[in-house]
């Protein structure tokens, strides 16, 4: 029932661009409190933008192109992280961007900032779609079997293709970060790609919003100290910042440029 309401709210937003709590309450035959709670949750997930008395549709240039819901979760955090990550890229750098949703926002930021000329290698079809034809970007797309929630190349062909590249910097997302264990992943094909990026890049940056810290894990990509920087947003728990400081983990908090 809740998912049906959420789908109905998104459908209204796609059609009209904005919605009001009172109108949705009548149309969906439920209380205004229920609608407000739905909108509040969807705003936190980055599916819409909450306003006084209702909600508005997210930025159409992303909203209408792709169906993968993970792109629209925590969007402001991911934009913040992308802006911080871009500051570490130098003019004429060669970089690899993986198929994570956080990496996708870095690609959008690169697209919108022509002041640096960059060579970009990626296995992400979404990143490739955004950067193809962009004049300040020299784009290389990794070949291979296409799969995953966010369409990307993977498997043996992709790994062999990636071995041909050596770049200045790599930017990857992760399923979660456990300071005691390392960077973790669920899907084996994606994990193999991330390990290949670790070999191909002189410096690897992990782009991870604050929801990625802690929790359980299935597979470990590498220890946290094997990467150059971990970039996150200002809502990361203070206990993680303190632990990173104690253990000299290379954590960067995007909004404050807090760096260890």
């Amino acid at each position: 029932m809740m998912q049906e309401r959420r789908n109905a709210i998104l459908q209204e937003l796609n059609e009209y661009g904005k919605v009001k709590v009172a109108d949705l309450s009548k149309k969906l035959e439920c209380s205004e409190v229920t609608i407000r709670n739905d909108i509040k949750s969807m705003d936190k997930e980055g599916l819409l933008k909450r306003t006084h008395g209702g909600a508005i549709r997210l930025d159409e240039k992303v909203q209408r192109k792709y169906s993968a819901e993970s792109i629209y979760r925590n969007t402001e955090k991911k934009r913040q992280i992308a802006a911080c990550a871009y500051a570490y890229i130098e003019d004429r750098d060669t970089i690899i961007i993986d198929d994570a949703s956080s990496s996708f926002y870095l690609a959008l930021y690169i697209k919108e900032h022509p002041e640096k000329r960059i060579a970009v290698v990626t296995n992400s079809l979404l990143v490739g779609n955004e950067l193809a034809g962009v004049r300040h970007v020299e784009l290389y797309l990794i070949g291979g079997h296409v799969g995953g929630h966010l369409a990307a190349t993977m498997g043996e062909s992709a790994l062999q293709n990636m071995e041909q590249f050596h770049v200045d910097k790599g930017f990857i997302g992760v399923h979660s970060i456990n300071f005691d264990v390392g960077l973790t992943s669920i899907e084996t094909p994606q994990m193999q790609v991330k390990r290949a990026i670790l070999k191909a890049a002189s410096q690897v940056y992990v782009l991870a919003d604050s929801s990625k810290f802690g929790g359980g894990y299935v597979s470990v990509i590498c220890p946290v100290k094997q990467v150059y920087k971990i970039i996150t947003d200002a809502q990361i728990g203070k206990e993680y910042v303190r632990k990173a400081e104690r253990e000299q983990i290379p954590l960067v908090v995007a909004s404050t440029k807090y760096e260890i």
Side-chain angles (χ1 to χ4, degrees):
M1 189 67 178
M2 180 183 71
Q3 191 57 50
E4 291 177 3
R5 286 197 313 272
R6 287 162 63 109
N7 290 339
I9 291 169
L10 290 175
Q11 187 175 347
E12 290 287 305
L13 283 172
N14 284 334
E15 188 169 351
Y16 301 109
K18 60 182 179 180
V19 292
K20 292 183 177 179
V21 170
D23 294 340
L24 288 171
S25 175
K26 292 176 183 177
K27 186 167 187 175
L28 301 179
E29 298 181 344
C30 59
S31 71
E32 292 189 10
V33 172
T34 297
I35 296 296
R36 286 194 192 95
N37 288 336
D38 285 340
I39 287 175
K40 184 177 180 181
S41 297
M42 293 168 76
D43 178 74
K44 287 182 178 179
E45 292 178 25
L47 299 175
L48 49 74
K49 184 69 175 176
R50 186 167 54 146
T51 61
H52 181 69
I56 59 174
R57 185 172 54 205
L58 288 176
D59 188 348
E60 288 189 35
K61 67 184 177 183
V62 176
Q63 181 74 15
R64 289 184 175 272
K65 277 188 179 180
Y66 307 109
S67 59
E69 189 174 310
S70 61
I71 290 179
Y72 312 114
R73 295 187 190 128
N74 301 319
T75 54
E76 290 307 315
K77 294 178 181 178
K78 290 172 183 175
R79 288 191 179 101
Q80 186 183 95
I81 291 166
C84 182
Y86 182 78
Y88 287 97
I89 299 173
E90 303 291 337
D91 186 41
R92 306 288 177 175
D93 264 354
T94 56
I95 69 172
I96 289 182
I97 300 177
D98 78 347
D99 60 318
S101 59
S102 53
S103 304
F104 172 78
Y105 279 89
L106 175 58
L108 291 183
Y109 198 91
I110 289 171
K111 180 180 180 179
E112 294 163 1
H113 290 78
E115 56 266 29
K116 298 175 186 177
R117 295 189 63 84
I118 305 168
V120 177
V121 179
T122 186
N123 71 317
S124 167
L125 271 64
L126 277 63
V127 168
N129 183 51
E130 293 295 336
L131 296 182
V134 174
R135 294 183 65 180
H136 59 281
V137 174
E138 186 176 348
L139 180 65
Y140 298 88
L141 192 62
I142 298 293
H145 171 71
V146 176
H149 176 60
L150 301 175
T153 56
M154 56 191 70
E156 286 302 317
S157 296
L159 297 175
Q160 289 172 10
N161 193 192
M162 195 170 288
E163 288 176 358
Q164 301 174 30
F165 294 94
H166 181 78
V167 300
D168 299 310
K169 289 152 190 168
F171 296 87
I172 65 173
V174 293
H175 177 259
S176 64
I177 297 176
N178 184 312
F179 285 160
D180 296 323
V181 176
L183 311 178
T184 72
S185 177
I186 292 179
E187 300 289 344
T188 300
Q190 283 89 336
M191 182 177 69
Q192 291 173 339
V193 168
K194 295 176 198 301
R195 284 178 174 169
I197 292 173
L198 284 164
K199 293 179 180 178
S202 296
Q203 297 176 347
V204 173
Y205 297 74
V206 177
L207 311 182
D209 69 71
S210 50
S211 69
K212 299 286 188 178
F213 289 78
Y217 64 94
V218 176
S219 301
V220 178
I221 302 166
C222 70
V224 291
K225 290 185 180 180
Q226 194 171 327
V227 299
Y228 186 71
K229 300 286 183 189
I230 299 170
I231 304 176
T232 190
D233 60 84
Q235 293 186 37
I236 183 174
K238 292 181 180 178
E239 67 274 20
Y240 295 116
V241 175
R242 288 193 292 265
K243 187 175 179 66
E245 189 171 24
R246 286 196 308 269
E247 300 185 10
Q248 297 185 316
I249 293 168
L251 182 71
V252 177
V253 179
S255 65
T256 60
K257 300 297 188 295
Y258 179 92
E259 187 172 340
I260 299 168

